[in-house]
Amino acid sequence: MNILDIIDKKEKNQKLTKEELEYAVNGFLSGEIKDYQMSAFLTEIDLLGLSDEETLNLTDIMLKSGETLNLGIDTVDKHSTGGVGDKTTIILAPLVASLGVSVAKMSGRGLGHTGGTIDKLESIPGFKTSMSLEQFKNQVKKIQIALVGQMGNLVPADKKIYALRDVTGTVDSVPLIASSVMSKKLASGSNKIVIDLKVGTGALVDNLEDAEALGNLMIKIGKHYHKDTACLLTNMYEPLGLAVGNSLEVIESINTLKGKGPKDVTELVLDLAALMVSMEKGISEEEAKAKALENLQNGKAYHKFLEWVIAQGGNLEGLKTAQNTKTITSSKSGYISKIDALAIGKLARKLGAGRLKEGDEIDPEVGFVLNKKVGDKITEGEALITVYYNDKQVSDEEILNCFEISDYQITPKLIIGKLK
Ligand code: URA
Protein backbone atom coordinates (compact mmCIF):
# COMPACT_ATOMS: atom_id res chain seq x y z
CA MET A 1 0.00 0.00 0.00
CA ASN A 2 1.12 3.57 -0.49
CA ILE A 3 -0.45 6.94 0.28
CA LEU A 4 -0.34 8.20 -3.31
CA ASP A 5 -2.55 5.32 -4.49
CA ILE A 6 -4.94 5.99 -1.62
CA ILE A 7 -5.15 9.72 -2.46
CA ASP A 8 -5.65 8.79 -6.10
CA LYS A 9 -8.44 6.37 -5.21
CA LYS A 10 -10.17 9.03 -3.12
CA GLU A 11 -9.76 11.54 -5.95
CA LYS A 12 -11.70 9.13 -8.17
CA ASN A 13 -14.32 9.03 -5.42
CA GLN A 14 -13.90 5.30 -4.91
CA LYS A 15 -14.70 3.76 -1.55
CA LEU A 16 -11.73 3.30 0.79
CA THR A 17 -11.25 0.11 2.75
CA LYS A 18 -10.65 0.16 6.50
CA GLU A 19 -7.08 -0.99 5.85
CA GLU A 20 -6.45 1.95 3.54
CA LEU A 21 -7.81 4.44 6.07
CA GLU A 22 -5.75 2.75 8.77
CA TYR A 23 -2.64 3.00 6.62
CA ALA A 24 -3.20 6.74 6.11
CA VAL A 25 -3.99 7.58 9.77
CA ASN A 26 -1.33 5.40 11.38
CA GLY A 27 1.27 6.38 8.77
CA PHE A 28 0.62 10.06 9.51
CA LEU A 29 0.81 9.46 13.23
CA SER A 30 4.17 7.68 12.91
CA GLY A 31 5.55 10.42 10.66
CA GLU A 32 5.94 8.15 7.65
CA ILE A 33 3.23 10.04 5.80
CA LYS A 34 4.14 13.70 5.57
CA ASP A 35 1.99 16.74 6.37
CA TYR A 36 1.70 17.72 2.69
CA GLN A 37 0.50 14.21 1.76
CA MET A 38 -2.01 14.08 4.59
CA SER A 39 -3.29 17.56 3.77
CA ALA A 40 -3.90 16.46 0.15
CA PHE A 41 -5.82 13.46 1.49
CA LEU A 42 -7.86 15.56 3.96
CA THR A 43 -8.65 18.08 1.22
CA GLU A 44 -10.03 15.28 -0.99
CA ILE A 45 -12.18 14.10 1.92
CA ASP A 46 -13.35 17.69 2.53
CA LEU A 47 -14.33 18.04 -1.14
CA LEU A 48 -15.85 14.62 -1.78
CA GLY A 49 -16.98 13.46 1.66
CA LEU A 50 -16.91 9.93 3.05
CA SER A 51 -19.63 7.28 3.16
CA ASP A 52 -21.12 6.51 6.58
CA GLU A 53 -19.22 3.21 6.62
CA GLU A 54 -15.92 4.96 5.87
CA THR A 55 -16.66 7.51 8.62
CA LEU A 56 -17.39 4.72 11.09
CA ASN A 57 -14.13 3.03 10.15
CA LEU A 58 -12.20 6.29 10.45
CA THR A 59 -13.71 6.91 13.91
CA ASP A 60 -12.74 3.42 15.02
CA ILE A 61 -9.16 3.82 13.77
CA MET A 62 -8.80 7.20 15.54
CA LEU A 63 -10.35 5.82 18.74
CA LYS A 64 -7.87 2.94 18.77
CA SER A 65 -4.87 5.20 18.12
CA GLY A 66 -4.49 5.79 21.87
CA GLU A 67 -5.74 4.96 25.35
CA THR A 68 -9.38 4.75 26.35
CA LEU A 69 -10.68 5.55 29.82
CA ASN A 70 -12.76 3.20 31.85
CA LEU A 71 -14.11 5.22 34.72
CA GLY A 72 -16.19 2.44 36.21
CA ILE A 73 -18.88 5.08 36.99
CA ASP A 74 -22.07 5.81 35.08
CA THR A 75 -21.60 9.27 33.60
CA VAL A 76 -23.18 11.47 30.94
CA ASP A 77 -20.99 13.59 28.71
CA LYS A 78 -21.88 16.75 26.88
CA HIS A 79 -19.93 18.20 23.98
CA SER A 80 -20.28 21.51 22.20
CA THR A 81 -18.93 21.85 18.68
CA GLY A 82 -17.71 25.30 19.72
CA GLY A 83 -19.00 28.83 19.65
CA VAL A 84 -18.69 32.38 20.93
CA GLY A 85 -19.82 33.11 24.50
CA ASP A 86 -20.50 29.42 25.04
CA LYS A 87 -20.19 29.02 28.80
CA THR A 88 -22.80 26.25 28.91
CA THR A 89 -20.62 23.54 30.50
CA ILE A 90 -19.78 25.72 33.52
CA ILE A 91 -23.49 25.94 34.36
CA LEU A 92 -24.75 22.63 33.04
CA ALA A 93 -22.20 20.36 34.74
CA PRO A 94 -22.99 21.45 38.34
CA LEU A 95 -26.70 21.70 37.51
CA VAL A 96 -27.01 18.06 36.40
CA ALA A 97 -24.63 16.95 39.17
CA SER A 98 -26.99 18.63 41.66
CA LEU A 99 -29.67 16.30 40.27
CA GLY A 100 -27.55 13.22 40.93
CA VAL A 101 -26.19 12.77 37.38
CA SER A 102 -22.41 12.29 37.48
CA VAL A 103 -20.28 14.39 35.17
CA ALA A 104 -16.67 13.33 34.53
CA LYS A 105 -15.64 15.67 31.81
CA MET A 106 -12.63 16.53 29.76
CA SER A 107 -12.78 19.93 28.09
CA GLY A 108 -10.60 21.87 25.71
CA ARG A 109 -8.91 25.24 25.48
CA GLY A 110 -10.06 27.93 23.10
CA LEU A 111 -8.63 27.96 19.62
CA GLY A 112 -9.42 30.31 16.76
CA HIS A 113 -12.40 32.58 17.42
CA THR A 114 -14.07 30.16 19.86
CA GLY A 115 -13.41 30.02 23.59
CA GLY A 116 -12.66 26.93 25.65
CA THR A 117 -14.09 25.84 28.99
CA ILE A 118 -10.64 25.17 30.47
CA ASP A 119 -9.48 28.75 29.82
CA LYS A 120 -12.70 30.10 31.31
CA LEU A 121 -12.36 28.01 34.48
CA GLU A 122 -8.69 28.96 34.83
CA SER A 123 -9.74 32.61 35.13
CA ILE A 124 -10.78 31.56 38.66
CA PRO A 125 -7.51 31.90 40.64
CA GLY A 126 -6.23 28.55 41.87
CA PHE A 127 -8.67 26.43 39.82
CA LYS A 128 -6.73 23.29 38.85
CA THR A 129 -7.60 21.70 35.52
CA SER A 130 -5.35 18.68 35.78
CA MET A 131 -5.29 15.82 38.23
CA SER A 132 -4.47 12.12 38.31
CA LEU A 133 -7.02 9.60 37.05
CA GLU A 134 -7.40 8.35 40.62
CA GLN A 135 -8.17 11.85 41.95
CA PHE A 136 -10.55 12.44 39.05
CA LYS A 137 -12.53 9.26 39.77
CA ASN A 138 -12.56 9.95 43.52
CA GLN A 139 -13.85 13.49 43.02
CA VAL A 140 -16.67 12.24 40.76
CA LYS A 141 -17.59 9.58 43.33
CA LYS A 142 -17.57 12.15 46.14
CA ILE A 143 -19.28 15.20 44.60
CA GLN A 144 -20.58 13.87 41.21
CA ILE A 145 -18.50 16.32 39.23
CA ALA A 146 -14.93 16.71 37.99
CA LEU A 147 -13.65 18.55 34.97
CA VAL A 148 -10.13 18.51 33.58
CA GLY A 149 -8.21 19.30 30.39
CA GLN A 150 -6.91 16.44 28.31
CA MET A 151 -6.06 13.39 30.43
CA GLY A 152 -4.05 10.40 29.31
CA ASN A 153 -3.06 9.76 25.73
CA LEU A 154 -6.57 9.75 24.27
CA VAL A 155 -7.00 9.82 20.48
CA PRO A 156 -3.51 11.07 19.51
CA ALA A 157 -4.55 10.67 15.86
CA ASP A 158 -7.20 13.37 16.30
CA LYS A 159 -4.74 15.71 17.98
CA LYS A 160 -2.35 15.50 15.04
CA ILE A 161 -4.99 15.48 12.31
CA TYR A 162 -6.97 18.33 13.93
CA ALA A 163 -3.86 20.53 14.08
CA LEU A 164 -3.32 19.94 10.37
CA ARG A 165 -7.00 20.53 9.54
CA ASP A 166 -6.82 23.81 11.41
CA VAL A 167 -4.17 25.17 9.03
CA THR A 168 -5.39 23.58 5.79
CA GLY A 169 -8.99 24.82 5.66
CA THR A 170 -10.44 21.37 6.30
CA VAL A 171 -12.08 21.93 9.69
CA ASP A 172 -15.58 22.20 8.24
CA SER A 173 -15.82 18.71 6.71
CA VAL A 174 -18.84 16.81 8.09
CA PRO A 175 -17.23 13.31 8.23
CA LEU A 176 -13.99 14.73 9.66
CA ILE A 177 -15.86 16.63 12.41
CA ALA A 178 -18.02 13.57 13.19
CA SER A 179 -15.05 11.21 13.51
CA SER A 180 -13.03 13.76 15.50
CA VAL A 181 -15.76 14.53 18.04
CA MET A 182 -17.03 10.98 18.42
CA SER A 183 -13.62 9.30 18.71
CA LYS A 184 -12.87 11.61 21.67
CA LYS A 185 -16.26 11.10 23.30
CA LEU A 186 -15.97 7.33 22.93
CA ALA A 187 -12.42 7.30 24.30
CA SER A 188 -13.40 9.23 27.42
CA GLY A 189 -15.68 6.47 28.60
CA SER A 190 -19.15 7.98 29.17
CA ASN A 191 -22.16 5.79 28.48
CA LYS A 192 -24.37 8.63 27.29
CA ILE A 193 -23.49 11.53 25.04
CA VAL A 194 -25.34 14.80 24.46
CA ILE A 195 -24.03 17.03 21.69
CA ASP A 196 -24.71 20.75 21.40
CA LEU A 197 -24.21 21.24 17.68
CA LYS A 198 -23.80 24.93 16.98
CA VAL A 199 -25.16 26.31 13.72
CA GLY A 200 -24.30 29.79 12.47
CA THR A 201 -21.60 32.29 11.53
CA GLY A 202 -19.72 31.70 14.79
CA ALA A 203 -19.79 27.90 14.37
CA LEU A 204 -18.02 25.34 12.20
CA VAL A 205 -21.29 24.64 10.38
CA ASP A 206 -23.38 27.54 9.13
CA ASN A 207 -26.31 25.81 7.42
CA LEU A 208 -29.07 23.52 8.58
CA GLU A 209 -28.50 20.86 5.93
CA ASP A 210 -24.90 20.19 7.01
CA ALA A 211 -25.85 20.46 10.67
CA GLU A 212 -28.53 17.78 10.31
CA ALA A 213 -26.20 15.53 8.34
CA LEU A 214 -23.49 15.95 11.00
CA GLY A 215 -25.90 15.41 13.90
CA ASN A 216 -27.37 12.26 12.35
CA LEU A 217 -23.92 10.91 11.58
CA MET A 218 -22.72 11.42 15.17
CA ILE A 219 -25.84 9.70 16.51
CA LYS A 220 -25.25 6.79 14.12
CA ILE A 221 -21.65 6.47 15.34
CA GLY A 222 -22.80 6.63 18.98
CA LYS A 223 -25.41 3.91 18.38
CA HIS A 224 -22.82 1.72 16.68
CA TYR A 225 -20.89 1.74 19.97
CA HIS A 226 -24.10 1.22 22.00
CA LYS A 227 -23.92 4.72 23.45
CA ASP A 228 -27.15 6.59 23.92
CA THR A 229 -26.51 9.76 21.88
CA ALA A 230 -28.67 12.86 21.35
CA CYS A 231 -28.02 16.13 19.62
CA LEU A 232 -29.44 19.64 19.89
CA LEU A 233 -28.90 22.02 16.97
CA THR A 234 -28.53 25.50 18.47
CA ASN A 235 -28.13 29.08 17.31
CA MET A 236 -24.60 30.44 16.90
CA TYR A 237 -25.36 33.35 14.56
CA GLU A 238 -25.05 35.70 17.55
CA PRO A 239 -22.96 35.04 20.69
CA LEU A 240 -24.61 32.96 23.41
CA GLY A 241 -25.69 35.17 26.31
CA LEU A 242 -24.26 38.62 26.88
CA ALA A 243 -20.68 37.97 28.03
CA VAL A 244 -17.75 37.00 25.78
CA GLY A 245 -14.36 36.58 27.46
CA ASN A 246 -13.09 34.25 30.14
CA SER A 247 -13.77 35.77 33.60
CA LEU A 248 -16.77 37.71 32.21
CA GLU A 249 -18.29 34.38 31.16
CA VAL A 250 -17.64 32.82 34.57
CA ILE A 251 -19.51 35.73 36.16
CA GLU A 252 -22.41 35.24 33.75
CA SER A 253 -22.38 31.52 34.57
CA ILE A 254 -22.62 32.30 38.29
CA ASN A 255 -25.57 34.63 37.65
CA THR A 256 -27.26 31.90 35.62
CA LEU A 257 -26.63 29.34 38.37
CA LYS A 258 -28.36 31.76 40.74
CA GLY A 259 -31.38 31.84 38.42
CA LYS A 260 -30.52 35.32 37.10
CA GLY A 261 -28.86 34.53 33.77
CA PRO A 262 -29.66 35.77 30.27
CA LYS A 263 -32.74 34.16 28.75
CA ASP A 264 -30.93 32.26 25.97
CA VAL A 265 -28.22 30.83 28.25
CA THR A 266 -30.81 29.68 30.77
CA GLU A 267 -33.00 28.14 28.06
CA LEU A 268 -30.10 26.27 26.45
CA VAL A 269 -28.80 24.96 29.77
CA LEU A 270 -32.27 23.76 30.76
CA ASP A 271 -32.82 21.99 27.43
CA LEU A 272 -29.43 20.26 27.57
CA ALA A 273 -29.98 19.33 31.24
CA ALA A 274 -33.40 17.91 30.34
CA LEU A 275 -31.79 15.61 27.77
CA MET A 276 -28.94 14.52 30.05
CA VAL A 277 -31.10 13.90 33.10
CA SER A 278 -33.87 12.13 31.17
CA MET A 279 -31.34 9.85 29.45
CA GLU A 280 -29.63 8.97 32.70
CA LYS A 281 -32.65 8.68 34.97
CA GLY A 282 -35.14 7.29 32.45
CA ILE A 283 -37.67 10.05 33.12
CA SER A 284 -39.41 12.30 30.60
CA GLU A 285 -37.62 15.40 29.33
CA GLU A 286 -40.44 17.57 30.72
CA GLU A 287 -39.99 16.15 34.20
CA ALA A 288 -36.20 16.45 33.97
CA LYS A 289 -36.46 20.07 32.80
CA ALA A 290 -38.79 20.96 35.67
CA LYS A 291 -36.31 19.46 38.16
CA ALA A 292 -33.44 21.38 36.54
CA LEU A 293 -35.35 24.67 36.70
CA GLU A 294 -36.12 24.02 40.35
CA ASN A 295 -32.42 23.53 41.15
CA LEU A 296 -31.48 26.77 39.36
CA GLN A 297 -34.06 28.60 41.44
CA ASN A 298 -33.55 26.95 44.84
CA GLY A 299 -29.75 27.42 44.96
CA LYS A 300 -28.85 23.72 44.74
CA ALA A 301 -27.10 24.08 41.37
CA TYR A 302 -25.11 27.08 42.63
CA HIS A 303 -24.21 25.22 45.81
CA LYS A 304 -22.90 22.30 43.70
CA PHE A 305 -20.87 24.78 41.63
CA LEU A 306 -19.25 26.17 44.82
CA GLU A 307 -18.48 22.63 46.02
CA TRP A 308 -16.87 21.89 42.65
CA VAL A 309 -14.78 25.09 42.59
CA ILE A 310 -13.51 24.41 46.11
CA ALA A 311 -12.73 20.76 45.27
CA GLN A 312 -10.55 21.93 42.36
CA GLY A 313 -8.79 24.61 44.42
CA GLY A 314 -10.49 27.71 43.00
CA ASN A 315 -11.03 30.98 44.86
CA LEU A 316 -13.93 32.98 43.45
CA GLU A 317 -12.98 36.07 45.43
CA GLY A 318 -9.96 36.49 43.18
CA LEU A 319 -12.00 36.48 39.94
CA LYS A 320 -11.12 39.72 38.13
CA THR A 321 -12.30 41.63 35.08
CA ALA A 322 -10.24 44.32 33.33
CA GLN A 323 -10.35 47.75 35.01
CA ASN A 324 -10.54 49.65 31.71
CA THR A 325 -13.96 49.72 30.12
CA LYS A 326 -15.60 51.63 27.31
CA THR A 327 -19.23 51.52 26.27
CA ILE A 328 -20.19 51.83 22.60
CA THR A 329 -23.55 53.39 21.87
CA SER A 330 -25.86 53.14 18.87
CA SER A 331 -25.91 55.92 16.30
CA LYS A 332 -29.47 55.07 15.28
CA SER A 333 -32.76 53.72 16.53
CA GLY A 334 -34.42 50.49 15.41
CA TYR A 335 -34.15 46.80 16.15
CA ILE A 336 -30.97 44.73 16.39
CA SER A 337 -31.08 42.41 13.37
CA LYS A 338 -27.57 40.95 13.54
CA ILE A 339 -24.68 40.54 15.99
CA ASP A 340 -22.01 38.67 14.06
CA ALA A 341 -20.77 35.91 16.37
CA LEU A 342 -17.66 35.22 14.28
CA ALA A 343 -16.65 38.90 14.20
CA ILE A 344 -17.22 39.32 17.95
CA GLY A 345 -15.18 36.16 18.62
CA LYS A 346 -12.30 37.49 16.51
CA LEU A 347 -12.36 40.88 18.26
CA ALA A 348 -12.37 39.19 21.67
CA ARG A 349 -9.30 37.28 20.54
CA LYS A 350 -7.72 40.57 19.41
CA LEU A 351 -8.27 41.94 22.93
CA GLY A 352 -6.37 38.91 24.23
CA ALA A 353 -9.28 36.66 25.29
CA GLY A 354 -8.33 33.92 22.81
CA ARG A 355 -5.35 32.52 21.02
CA LEU A 356 -4.25 32.31 17.40
CA LYS A 357 -2.12 29.25 17.93
CA GLU A 358 -1.76 26.58 20.56
CA GLY A 359 0.36 27.79 23.48
CA ASP A 360 -0.40 31.54 23.06
CA GLU A 361 -0.96 33.37 26.38
CA ILE A 362 -4.45 34.67 27.00
CA ASP A 363 -5.74 37.52 29.13
CA PRO A 364 -8.57 36.15 31.31
CA GLU A 365 -9.87 39.62 32.25
CA VAL A 366 -10.81 41.05 28.83
CA GLY A 367 -13.82 40.74 26.55
CA PHE A 368 -17.26 42.15 25.91
CA VAL A 369 -20.61 42.41 27.59
CA LEU A 370 -23.48 42.96 25.18
CA ASN A 371 -26.26 45.26 26.23
CA LYS A 372 -28.58 44.05 23.48
CA LYS A 373 -29.43 40.81 21.70
CA VAL A 374 -30.86 40.19 18.23
CA GLY A 375 -34.54 41.23 18.21
CA ASP A 376 -34.11 43.91 20.92
CA LYS A 377 -35.26 47.48 20.38
CA ILE A 378 -32.57 50.15 20.56
CA THR A 379 -32.72 53.94 20.55
CA GLU A 380 -30.04 56.33 19.32
CA GLY A 381 -27.42 56.93 22.02
CA GLU A 382 -28.31 53.76 23.93
CA ALA A 383 -25.53 51.35 24.97
CA LEU A 384 -24.84 48.47 22.55
CA ILE A 385 -21.88 46.82 24.19
CA THR A 386 -19.18 47.37 26.84
CA VAL A 387 -15.55 46.51 26.13
CA TYR A 388 -13.27 45.29 28.95
CA TYR A 389 -9.63 45.78 27.95
CA ASN A 390 -6.06 45.84 29.23
CA ASP A 391 -3.07 46.39 26.94
CA LYS A 392 -4.73 45.49 23.61
CA GLN A 393 -7.56 47.49 22.07
CA VAL A 394 -10.14 47.34 19.30
CA SER A 395 -11.63 50.38 17.56
CA ASP A 396 -15.24 51.54 17.92
CA GLU A 397 -15.65 51.06 14.17
CA GLU A 398 -14.57 47.43 14.33
CA ILE A 399 -17.13 46.84 17.07
CA LEU A 400 -19.95 48.69 15.34
CA ASN A 401 -19.33 46.62 12.20
CA CYS A 402 -20.46 43.52 14.16
CA PHE A 403 -23.98 44.94 14.51
CA GLU A 404 -26.83 45.53 12.11
CA ILE A 405 -29.79 47.68 13.09
CA SER A 406 -32.97 47.55 10.99
CA ASP A 407 -36.45 48.98 11.18
CA TYR A 408 -38.01 45.51 11.32
CA GLN A 409 -37.90 43.09 14.24
CA ILE A 410 -36.78 39.50 13.94
CA THR A 411 -37.12 36.85 16.62
CA PRO A 412 -34.16 34.46 16.57
CA LYS A 413 -34.73 30.81 17.35
CA LEU A 414 -32.33 29.38 19.93
CA ILE A 415 -33.08 25.67 19.58
CA ILE A 416 -33.07 24.93 15.86
CA GLY A 417 -33.64 21.19 16.07
CA LYS A 418 -33.30 18.04 18.12
CA LEU A 419 -31.99 14.70 16.84
CA LYS A 420 -32.08 11.44 18.78
N1 URA B 1 -14.61 19.79 17.66
C1 URA B 1 -13.80 18.73 17.57
O1 URA B 1 -13.40 18.15 18.57
N2 URA B 1 -13.41 18.30 16.36
C2 URA B 1 -13.82 18.89 15.23
O2 URA B 1 -13.45 18.45 14.18
C3 URA B 1 -14.67 19.99 15.34
C4 URA B 1 -15.07 20.42 16.57
Side-chain angles (χ1 to χ4, degrees):
M1 234 181 262
N2 82 66
I3 188 66
L4 295 183
D5 288 345
I6 295 173
I7 296 172
D8 199 39
K9 194 169 171 191
K10 183 68 224 166
E11 208 172 277
K12 295 193 179 104
N13 213 5
Q14 291 169 353
K15 225 165 161 192
L16 300 172
T17 63
K18 187 164 186 186
E19 289 69 34
E20 286 163 334
L21 286 164
E22 215 154 32
Y23 180 86
V25 171
N26 294 342
F28 179 56
L29 201 53
S30 72
E32 199 182 311
I33 291 169
K34 304 296 172 208
D35 280 13
Y36 52 84
Q37 293 171 315
M38 196 61 178
S39 56
F41 185 52
L42 293 170
T43 302
E44 291 301 339
I45 293 178
D46 193 13
L47 292 173
L48 298 167
L50 287 177
S51 69
D52 288 2
E53 192 189 342
E54 288 170 310
T55 310
L56 269 170
N57 284 336
L58 179 61
T59 309
D60 199 59
I61 294 160
M62 306 226 298
L63 170 64
K64 289 177 181 152
S65 69
E67 293 171 45
T68 51
L69 287 185
N70 183 357
L71 296 170
I73 319 165
D74 233 13
T75 59
V76 185
D77 201 357
K78 168 258 173 189
H79 183 86
S80 158
T81 53
V84 178
D86 185 6
K87 67 279 295 171
T88 316
T89 296
I90 302 171
I91 311 154
L92 183 64
L95 172 60
V96 300
S98 75
L99 290 163
V101 171
S102 293
V103 181
K105 190 160 168 47
M106 267 172 275
S107 285
R109 294 189 182 278
L111 192 61
H113 68 278
T114 64
T117 302
I118 292 295
D119 293 326
K120 293 172 198 186
L121 288 169
E122 282 181 353
S123 71
I124 304 170
F127 195 102
K128 287 191 226 36
T129 54
S130 63
M131 60 180 93
S132 71
L133 181 58
E134 222 32 55
Q135 287 169 323
F136 185 69
K137 283 188 196 173
N138 286 340
Q139 188 176 311
V140 178
K141 280 187 192 143
K142 196 165 162 209
I143 63 165
Q144 293 82 44
I145 176 170
L147 191 147
V148 290
Q150 191 64 269
M151 191 164 49
N153 183 29
L154 306 190
V155 203
D158 179 64
K159 198 158 190 243
K160 197 163 177 201
I161 292 173
Y162 195 85
L164 188 62
R165 284 170 58 207
D166 204 35
V167 292
T168 53
T170 52
V171 278
D172 58 356
S173 149
V174 167
L176 293 180
I177 300 173
S179 51
S180 161
V181 170
M182 291 308 287
S183 58
K184 282 181 293 207
K185 294 294 105 181
L186 294 166
S188 56
S190 287
N191 327 60
K192 305 198 170 64
I193 303 164
V194 172
I195 293 163
D196 179 8
L197 203 169
K198 303 285 187 196
V199 190
T201 50
L204 287 175
V205 181
D206 67 358
N207 65 83
L208 193 55
E209 199 186 331
D210 280 354
E212 281 178 345
L214 176 58
N216 283 321
L217 192 50
M218 291 196 283
I219 289 172
K220 191 167 181 177
I221 297 171
K223 287 210 171 113
H224 180 80
Y225 288 90
H226 309 291
K227 305 278 179 188
D228 208 355
T229 309
C231 182
L232 277 189
L233 310 185
T234 71
N235 184 321
M236 191 32 72
Y237 288 92
E238 64 175 325
L240 181 69
L242 300 170
V244 178
N246 299 288
S247 62
L248 293 165
E249 290 189 44
V250 172
I251 292 167
E252 186 166 279
S253 301
I254 292 172
N255 291 337
T256 310
L257 281 158
K258 289 179 172 172
K260 291 180 284 190
K263 197 166 153 272
D264 61 343
V265 179
T266 306
E267 188 185 334
L268 178 56
V269 164
L270 287 175
D271 277 25
L272 289 166
L275 270 176
M276 291 170 80
V277 174
S278 79
M279 280 160 85
E280 184 63 19
K281 301 244 168 202
I283 57 174
S284 73
E285 280 179 46
E286 290 69 34
E287 192 185 341
K289 192 168 176 174
K291 283 180 189 288
L293 178 61
E294 202 179 310
N295 275 17
L296 278 189
Q297 290 169 341
N298 64 16
K300 287 191 180 161
Y302 180 58
H303 180 80
K304 182 57 75 179
F305 170 77
L306 293 177
E307 210 182 341
W308 171 37
V309 171
I310 291 166
Q312 296 199 209
N315 171 14
L316 286 171
E317 274 167 30
L319 191 63
K320 277 217 247 47
T321 57
Q323 290 299 305
N324 308 311
T325 61
K326 70 172 172 179
T327 295
I328 315 285
T329 55
S330 177
S331 58
K332 64 179 199 181
S333 299
Y335 295 94
I336 308 286
S337 52
K338 181 177 171 183
I339 306 174
D340 186 335
L342 175 63
I344 293 274
K346 285 184 173 171
L347 289 182
R349 181 177 66 194
K350 199 168 168 187
L351 285 173
R355 49 176 79 76
L356 271 170
K357 57 179 193 313
E358 222 179 308
D360 281 353
E361 280 277 312
I362 63 159
D363 183 343
E365 301 180 359
V366 301
F368 299 108
V369 177
L370 292 162
N371 194 47
K372 297 282 173 184
K373 296 281 290 179
V374 171
D376 286 351
K377 195 170 183 191
I378 187 149
T379 47
E380 188 186 332
E382 209 183 342
L384 267 179
I385 188 169
T386 299
V387 190
Y388 289 73
Y389 64 96
N390 281 325
D391 51 333
K392 299 183 184 114
Q393 292 214 41
V394 291
S395 71
D396 294 9
E397 196 194 347
E398 283 176 295
I399 296 171
L400 286 167
N401 284 341
C402 300
F403 293 84
E404 257 176 36
I405 296 168
S406 309
D407 46 16
Y408 55 87
Q409 188 175 25
I410 58 168
T411 312
K413 210 169 159 187
L414 175 70
I415 309 293
I416 299 169
K418 189 194 303 176
L419 308 168
K420 275 173 109 180

